[in-house]
Amino acid sequence: MERSPGVLAPQWRLTSIGIAVSISLFAFEGLAVATAMPSAVRELRGLAFFGWSYSAFLVMNLVGLGAAGQWCDRVGPRRPLLTGIAVFTIGLLVAGTAVNMAIFVLGRSAQGIGVGLASTAVFKLVATAYPPELRPRALAIISAAYVVPALVGPILSGTITAHVGWRWVFLGLVPLALACGGALLRALRMSAAPESTPAGGFRKPLFALLAGGGVVVLQAGGNAVVAGRTPLTVLLLGAGLLALVAGLRELLPQGSTRLRRGVPAVIVVRGLLAGAFYAVESVVPLSLVTLHGFGTAAAGLPLLAGSIGWWAGAQAQGRITKMTRPSLLRWGLIALACCFVGMAALCLEGAPGWPVYLLWIVGGLGMGVSVPTTGVLVLEQSAEDETGANSSALQISDVTAAGLGTSVAGVLVGAAEAGHLGFGAGMGVLGLAAAAVCAAAAAGASRTARAGDSTAAVG
């Protein structure tokens, strides 16, 4: 049988490079902000608004994702992708030239909208630019594009901040953002507009705003729990939960709460694995420093190991052809569950810290297999006029769950700091809870196949 050309064949090379550069750009910006923020806050005298730079990005990212899905299905990926890159670039310029914290937060909001629009449009582009047999490898590019920023992002942004200034962490990305749009123009010109356009208006961005606000309010409620402000806790948790549920009911496909077979189940599983992974990842360096006495550099190395594992898993899933996609997803989730059980064990008194390097490679492998696989399943099971909306819902599930997971981890850290529980006990509970979530998702992985597709091999 003749071997099909790869994603770097001449007809797809520029598209693949453009996708890789755009995703790497967004990933680098996310990592760079954490490094540049202390200097930015000091110069702008905005310590009281420190958290808003992250919350604003999260909420407006969800708004961008909510707007992009239907927009892509109406007109194709060209206008949403170019608009997203343009808005992201404007956000970089606004943040990089900010004279106070309010303007900086405004820039972060624009970056969030831009990333939401562009990332959904990239998924739509994968669906329209590549044949079905190349989509797993095209989605592997997206996962692999996060590795280089993880390797060099913190070091590079730290060097820029120290020697040139924090503003250039943002302004220096502007030429790359423009080059990214240029690299994708050829593929976008060849991407035809849909023959039919789905009905419906632009209600989803409003519900995305509602869901994002719900995540922020729930986080505030968790912080109120730690502080012991009981009346405020009940009010915040109730309001946040109502807002989140109301928003997600509109943003996710019908049947998601029942784990309906097909796309709804895929989207729920993606949210479960993202929430579990990012909750644990957010406390890995802190746990190594606090429980095992690691230095700052050594405590950050597991995240590098996880990025390498993620890359390896993404490459592997694009080449495995003798296993069904739901089975592949199940094995990825099992790897994640094993990783989290191991992480919980390392929180026991007297346990060594060094196994975290091996465990986090396993966790990275699990994510590298699972994340692209959920993308492939969504694209395979979506009609042409649904790929944008379903890809948007997939990423909304991912971003929302990641925000909730990191909020839970933050509340546990705060509770330990306040003396309500031991740090090791709190992190052990977090690891076991994450493992249970992934085990439950693995049990439901068979429902990610459409009826009659459960025996279809990966292709």
Side-chain angles (χ1 to χ4, degrees):
M1 184 172 65
E2 185 179 353
R3 187 178 178 181
S4 61
V7 291
L8 293 179
Q11 61 268 46
W12 295 298
R13 184 176 300 145
L14 204 57
T15 303
S16 299
I17 292 172
I19 288 174
V21 171
S22 62
I23 297 299
S24 295
L25 187 69
F26 302 148
F28 177 83
E29 187 271 345
L31 291 166
V33 166
T35 306
M37 273 300 294
S39 297
V41 167
R42 280 196 301 269
E43 182 176 326
L44 300 175
R45 299 179 181 179
L47 184 60
F49 300 97
F50 180 86
W52 279 104
S53 63
Y54 296 99
S55 298
F57 183 92
L58 168 68
V59 173
M60 301 314 291
N61 185 221
L62 287 173
V63 171
L65 290 171
Q70 262 188 352
W71 194 10
C72 285
D73 288 335
R74 285 173 178 272
V75 303
R78 181 179 179 180
R79 275 188 275 171
L81 182 51
L82 294 179
T83 301
I85 292 174
V87 174
F88 177 73
T89 304
I90 291 170
L92 294 174
L93 290 169
V94 171
T97 58
V99 296
N100 56 52
M101 200 63 184
I103 295 176
F104 183 82
V105 170
L106 183 64
R108 289 287 289 154
S109 300
Q111 291 166 34
I113 293 176
V115 170
L117 290 172
S119 57
T120 299
V122 164
F123 268 84
K124 183 73 174 182
L125 182 61
V126 168
T128 57
Y130 297 92
E133 64 272 15
L134 283 184
R135 288 174 190 167
R137 296 191 186 185
L139 291 174
I141 292 174
I142 295 176
S143 286
Y146 285 96
V147 175
V148 173
L151 294 175
V152 305
I155 296 173
L156 183 58
S157 60
T159 302
I160 293 172
T161 300
H163 296 286
V164 185
W166 65 267
R167 295 181 184 276
W168 288 98
V169 170
F170 298 96
L171 298 177
L173 295 179
V174 170
L176 288 177
L178 298 176
C180 183
L184 290 168
L185 271 177
R186 178 175 178 271
L188 291 171
R189 288 195 190 103
M190 296 173 61
S191 179
E195 294 180 2
S196 61
T197 57
F202 283 89
R203 299 170 62 229
K204 288 196 173 182
L206 297 177
F207 283 94
L209 184 63
L210 184 64
V215 173
V216 173
V217 172
L218 282 172
Q219 184 174 5
N223 293 332
V225 169
V226 174
R229 297 192 291 269
T230 305
L232 180 62
T233 297
V234 174
L235 179 63
L236 289 174
L237 291 178
L241 187 60
L242 284 173
L244 180 63
V245 171
L248 292 182
R249 284 189 65 181
E250 177 72 19
L251 297 169
L252 302 185
Q254 289 185 354
S256 295
T257 55
R258 302 190 307 274
L259 208 67
R260 194 179 75 192
R261 183 176 289 278
V263 170
V266 177
I267 288 170
V268 171
V269 168
R270 174 66 169 267
L272 292 174
L273 69 92
F277 180 81
Y278 290 112
V280 178
E281 184 191 55
S282 68
V283 297
V284 167
L286 181 62
S287 297
L288 289 176
V289 171
T290 304
L291 296 176
H292 303 288
F294 280 33
T296 303
L301 285 177
L303 305 186
L304 170 59
S307 297
I308 295 172
W310 192 317
W311 173 82
Q315 298 308 304
Q317 66 78 34
R319 289 166 170 78
I320 294 173
T321 58
K322 302 299 182 183
M323 188 182 298
T324 65
R325 283 278 156 195
S327 296
L328 194 59
L329 178 58
R330 182 180 299 110
W331 281 110
L333 289 162
I334 290 172
L336 283 168
C338 292
C339 168
F340 299 146
V341 169
M343 293 296 295
L346 296 186
C347 296
L348 296 173
E349 187 175 354
W354 64 264
V356 71
Y357 297 110
L358 301 178
L359 287 170
W360 214 243
I361 290 175
V362 173
L365 280 168
M367 288 297 282
V369 168
S370 301
V371 170
T373 296
T374 56
V376 172
L377 284 165
V378 164
L379 293 182
E380 285 179 347
Q381 298 177 22
S382 300
E384 182 182 352
D385 60 353
E386 295 176 334
T387 53
N390 288 341
S391 297
S392 170
L394 184 72
Q395 293 177 83
I396 286 171
S397 178
D398 186 304
V399 170
T400 305
L404 288 172
T406 54
S407 296
V408 169
V411 168
L412 287 173
V413 170
E417 182 67 20
H420 299 316
L421 78 166
F423 185 87
M427 297 306 98
V429 168
L430 181 65
L432 292 176
V437 167
C438 287
S446 60
R447 299 192 63 79
T448 60
R450 287 177 299 194
D453 285 356
S454 59
T455 59
V458 173

